[in-house]
Amino acid sequence: MTTTAELLKGAAELFPDEVVTQAHVRHLDLPKGAGRFALITLDNGLDHTKPTTFGPQSLANLNTALDQVEAEATNGEIVGAGITGKPFIFAVGADLKGVELLKRHEDALAIGKGGHDVFKRLSALAVPTFAFYNGAAMGGGVEVGLHCTYRTVSAALPAFSLPEVFLGLVPGWGGCAILPNLIGADRAVSVIIENSLNQNKQLKGKQVFELGIADAIFEGADFLEQSLIWTASVLTGETEVVRAEIDRGEAWDQAVERGRFIADSKVHGAAPAAYRALDIIAAAKNGDLRQGFDAEDQALADLIMGGELRSGIYAFNLVQKRGKRPAGAPDKSLARPVTKVGVVGAGLMASQLALLFVRRLEVPVVLTDIDQERVDKGVGYVHGEIDKLLLKGRVNQDKANRLKALVTGSLDKAAAFGDADFVIEAVFEEMGVKQKVFAEVEAVVPEHAILATNTSSLSVSEMASKLKHPERVVGFHFFNPVAVLPLLEIVRGEKTDDASLATAFAVAKTLKKTAVLVKDAPAFVVNRVLTRFLGEVLASIDEGTPVEVADRALAPLGLPMSPIVLLELVGPAVAHHVAGTLNAAFPDRFGVSENLGRIVEAGKRALYVHDSGKPELDPEVAALFQVGDTVLTEEQVRDRALDAIAQEVQLMLDEGVVAEAQDIDLCLITGAGWPFHLGGITPYLDREGVSERVNGKRFLTPGVASVPV
């Protein structure tokens, strides 16, 4: 039989570039004369910006440390053993770079078994074991602590999660089996499924304690010291740890059902990870951990060899790496400082922008509009939102006062923008209006000021064409809601110079946005893709396919919302306008739906009514429709929409709208909320054979977002 050491040695050979974590063992005498204690510290030798992970060699090092501790425990040399991390970091789980390299199911299975074999030694020691969660703990970092007898957590701990389902895995080193048996199935479902599918929501130290994952909580300043005093009191019997009894009856089954409901509402059955995790949680009801660990191994191996996980890791890397180093951005040393921001317009979008700029840049922000009432309303909105932040404890009173004082309004553009370094317009989406606004602004701003437009589809070059200095105009396209969606499409006009572009990227970084450089092409990236795919769905409805059939067609992709709900979110009038812009540019591919035009004309903002509790086509909308007699199936509508997306993405790459397919995926993930399990969209189109059917080739080389050949 293969030993754990042999398993890990084989796995380590597959992953030569692992950032290796050491497991240092030191001994100390516990307070209160409680006895000698072995403390293992996980540390990769790098600072907190390079968190500690578990690759095969790292697991082997922990295994070696446990050889020593196990011998000491068996020989009665120690009364207990503990595990903790380097400053600010406990451990953040498996090293995903190693997972990407795996090509065979048996290698993937070895990773699962290797982790289990090492971690479960903590629960098998002859003495009690303690996990001291001193800093960020995720995935395998959380799980190694679950194998211990007791756990403490730092009140300063900023991030604690089991994010595997979010990426397309299951917590596969004990999380699915142990956690429900520790805190109950319902709470475990919240941590493993709900938080994970809710944009990988993190827990803070206090929540970890309140959920019952940790038995005690201590302040960050002297966390380890207090944890060791508490450990001594547990070992001497002075402190008894009492845990709530686990309900293994109907409540367990209801928790699993709740998890399935959450998974269905988030991924619509399109990604298997959540359902595999729920199967293991359901089976864990009998408390048989060995059976649970075997199921985790199997699920882990199956998912590692699946396309959804590979797409998930690809998407994660895009957001974490490419998103932080935008392709094609000019040298950041060219960027000019921004000490005051102007916003033209004081409507909802403009007010949201003003709020974002003042919160992140903390410089004066001034709004202008055509009358005092609108200006007052815009400034009032920003002040009101800052008051809400104060109520939620997100800012203190002093900060709230300071931020509010920085936001003002004016009817006089010269007075407002005379010393502004960056002015952004968020006025009506019409070329003549925007050109007029920019001409007025150019006349009053300093020579170095950047003029930014939040246009969603109009030509930035044309907007700048009548100015004396078109080189300082840049597209700065945000996505709604501004506070939630991270994407910022930065558009380079024909004349935009490097200094203006570099300043735009520097501002985007301070705003904490994911900036992607795009060419000045109609509707840029996200709106072009969405309009093309929405256009095909609307065309199928116009031709005679029932609305509910067309609307269900894309459900197997697990998109955040159906096409008709997306249309309602964008607003029929905006969608119709963008479709018109694209139809003018590419009439052979982008149609304009006459039915959508009628909806806009009638002033309808939604197609559905929800009177019965579920969405149904509004009879007034149905009365406006004029349709043909070609009825497609869901599958036919889906094929039509996917073929259109594949064609459009290839054309955008041919036109040089972005540098690579990766940028289109990054835009769809961060600007439209498209899921990680699709990898944005191109890995999915490759996986389903759509890319080759439409374009005769894949978007990505095999092994990128897929299992290496």
Side-chain angles (χ1 to χ4, degrees):
M1 195 176 133
T2 314
T3 66
T4 302
E6 287 166 341
L7 256 185
L8 293 171
K9 187 169 183 287
E13 284 164 9
L14 298 172
F15 184 20
D17 299 326
E18 177 185 350
V19 177
V20 177
T21 297
Q22 303 298 334
H24 304 290
V25 182
R26 63 187 169 115
H27 296 89
L28 33 100
D29 292 318
L30 289 171
K32 307 179 184 181
R36 194 161 180 261
F37 189 79
L39 181 65
I40 300 169
T41 302
L42 302 169
D43 191 348
N44 61 7
L46 301 164
D47 70 13
H48 67 278
T49 61
K50 298 279 190 299
T52 307
T53 51
F54 291 117
Q57 186 56 54
S58 306
L59 286 172
N61 290 344
L62 178 57
N63 199 43
T64 303
L66 287 167
D67 286 341
Q68 178 189 339
V69 173
E70 184 178 49
E72 292 168 352
T74 306
N75 296 335
E77 294 166 28
I78 53 172
V79 293
I83 186 163
T84 193
K86 67 182 184 182
F88 311 111
I89 304 286
F90 182 77
V92 298
D95 191 323
L96 290 175
K97 291 196 294 298
V99 173
E100 280 177 277
L101 300 171
L102 297 173
K103 297 179 185 179
R104 302 182 314 159
H105 193 275
E106 54 263 44
D107 294 333
L109 197 61
I111 288 288
K113 286 185 70 61
H116 273 131
D117 288 352
V118 176
F119 288 2
K120 66 189 183 192
R121 294 183 71 186
L122 284 160
S123 56
L125 289 180
V127 294
T129 50
F130 297 78
F132 306 131
Y133 290 123
N134 64 304
M138 295 169 205
V142 167
E143 289 171 299
V144 70
L146 294 178
H147 286 267
C148 294
T149 325
Y150 305 101
R151 285 155 293 281
T152 68
V153 68
S154 165
L157 182 144
F160 183 103
S161 64
L162 289 169
E164 286 84 354
V165 166
F166 175 68
L167 290 171
L169 279 172
V170 297
W173 285 340
C176 289
I178 299 173
L179 195 63
N181 281 293
L182 176 68
I183 62 172
D186 196 61
R187 287 175 164 191
V189 162
S190 293
V191 176
I192 294 169
I193 307 296
E194 188 170 18
N195 290 357
S196 216
L197 293 179
N198 194 5
Q199 291 303 309
N200 191 19
K201 184 181 169 195
Q202 301 292 321
L203 298 169
K204 300 267 192 280
K206 185 166 177 264
Q207 294 164 299
V208 174
F209 173 63
E210 286 168 352
L211 282 167
I213 299 172
D215 302 302
I217 183 168
F218 302 107
E219 287 305 320
D222 56 353
F223 169 70
L224 191 57
E225 189 185 336
Q226 292 302 320
S227 291
L228 291 168
I229 293 169
W230 180 83
T231 297
S233 72
V234 170
L235 290 171
T236 57
E238 185 187 325
T239 296
E240 186 189 354
V241 173
V242 181
R243 296 188 183 130
E245 202 171 320
I246 302 301
D247 186 334
R248 296 183 186 281
E250 205 177 312
W252 194 291
D253 304 331
Q254 285 169 348
V256 173
E257 279 315 301
R258 183 173 78 88
R260 292 195 198 284
F261 177 78
I262 292 165
D264 287 343
S265 68
K266 291 287 188 182
V267 299
H268 316 284
Y275 303 97
R276 291 296 291 265
L278 286 163
D279 289 345
I280 301 168
I281 294 170
K285 183 178 176 180
N286 63 11
D288 183 341
L289 291 183
R290 181 183 295 181
Q291 180 192 323
F293 295 165
D294 288 345
E296 286 177 349
D297 287 342
Q298 204 53 54
L300 208 56
D302 292 348
L303 292 167
I304 285 173
M305 301 316 289
E308 288 84 4
L309 170 72
R310 302 301 173 133
S311 296
I313 295 174
Y314 163 83
F316 182 78
N317 288 335
L318 286 183
V319 173
Q320 295 298 322
K321 293 175 185 167
R322 195 177 185 94
K324 291 181 170 60
R325 286 188 288 278
D331 190 320
K332 54 178 182 277
S333 67
L334 298 171
R336 294 192 282 260
V338 172
T339 59
K340 184 179 179 183
V341 172
V343 182
V344 187
L348 183 59
M349 189 67 175
S351 304
Q352 287 183 27
L353 295 180
L355 177 67
L356 179 68
F357 276 95
V358 77
R359 282 195 69 196
R360 298 283 186 237
L361 272 65
E362 296 190 24
V363 299
V365 176
V366 59
L367 297 104
T368 66
D369 212 316
I370 53 174
D371 59 52
Q372 193 63 45
E373 190 185 338
R374 290 176 204 225
V375 170
D376 292 345
K377 190 178 175 189
V379 174
Y381 169 86
V382 180
H383 285 189
E385 291 299 307
I386 293 168
D387 285 335
K388 285 183 196 168
L389 293 170
L390 175 64
L391 278 173
K392 289 178 187 162
R394 304 271 290 279
V395 295
N396 61 24
Q397 187 68 60
D398 180 48
K399 179 90 174 266
N401 293 344
R402 209 166 65 245
L403 291 177
K404 279 157 73 170
L406 287 170
V407 181
T408 56
S410 173
L411 289 175
D412 182 346
K413 287 193 179 70
F417 304 150
D419 55 349
D421 307 303
F422 190 99
V423 178
I424 184 165
E425 68 73 24
V427 299
F428 186 64
E429 190 76 346
E430 206 270 304
M431 184 58 77
V433 175
K434 291 190 186 279
Q435 285 179 331
K436 180 172 178 284
V437 161
F438 269 162
E440 290 170 3
V441 172
E442 187 183 46
V444 299
V445 294
E447 277 191 13
H448 68 270
I450 306 295
L451 304 183
T453 168
N454 183 43
T455 182
S456 57
S457 62
L458 300 177
S459 166
V460 174
S461 304
E462 190 183 338
M463 217 176 287
S465 62
K466 296 182 177 173
L467 298 178
K468 290 193 191 83
H469 294 287
E471 70 278 359
R472 55 177 171 171
V473 176
V474 65
F476 216 59
H477 179 218
F478 289 88
F479 289 79
N480 220 346
V482 171
V484 177
L485 289 172
L487 180 64
L488 187 49
E489 290 178 338
I490 296 187
V491 187
R492 179 172 211 152
E494 282 169 24
K495 303 264 176 70
T496 309
D497 64 19
D498 281 354
S500 301
L501 204 58
T503 307
F505 274 100
V507 169
K509 189 172 183 183
T510 312
L511 293 174
K512 298 188 176 168
K513 291 294 178 187
T514 300
V516 175
L517 179 62
V518 304
K519 187 177 155 185
D520 187 18
F524 317 125
V525 175
V526 173
N527 284 344
R528 182 162 162 184
V529 173
L530 294 185
T531 303
R532 182 77 201 273
F533 120 84
L534 203 50
E536 297 298 334
V537 174
L538 291 174
S540 69
I541 293 170
D542 293 348
E543 290 161 17
T545 303
V547 172
E548 55 278 11
V549 173
D551 198 30
R552 277 197 309 266
L554 277 296
L557 275 74
L559 296 174
M561 58 192 77
S562 72
I564 300 302
V565 175
L566 172 66
L567 179 68
E568 293 180 353
L569 177 77
V570 171
V574 173
H576 194 54
H577 177 82
V578 176
T581 302
L582 281 158
N583 173 257
F586 311 115
D588 56 324
R589 301 195 309 281
F590 288 86
V592 176
S593 165
E594 289 183 9
N595 283 326
L596 183 58
R598 291 185 195 98
I599 290 168
V600 173
E601 222 167 281
K604 301 294 288 184
R605 299 182 65 94
L607 278 72
Y608 287 146
V609 287
H610 299 265
D611 301 341
S612 65
K614 64 179 202 291
E616 288 172 351
L617 189 62
D618 183 340
E620 290 178 15
V621 169
L624 296 169
F625 274 21
Q626 295 174 22
V627 299
D629 52 11
T630 304
V631 179
L632 302 181
T633 63
E634 286 177 30
E635 192 178 355
Q636 287 170 320
V637 176
R638 181 163 63 251
D639 285 348
R640 177 174 176 168
L642 290 174
D643 286 4
I645 293 172
Q647 183 192 33
E648 206 57 41
V649 169
Q650 188 57 54
L651 288 166
M652 289 160 76
L653 294 172
D654 294 344
E655 290 166 27
V657 175
V658 289
E660 291 182 289
Q662 279 87 336
D663 294 309
I664 290 175
D665 291 325
L666 181 59
C667 284
L668 289 168
I669 292 161
T670 55
W674 281 25
F676 272 37
H677 66 254
L678 298 180
I681 192 61
T682 67
Y684 177 82
L685 296 173
D686 285 352
R687 190 162 80 227
E688 295 296 312
V690 181
S691 314
E692 292 192 34
R693 182 170 78 226
V694 175
N695 302 318
K697 60 181 181 182
R698 294 167 61 98
F699 287 109
L700 304 168
T701 49
V704 176
S706 56
V707 176
V709 185

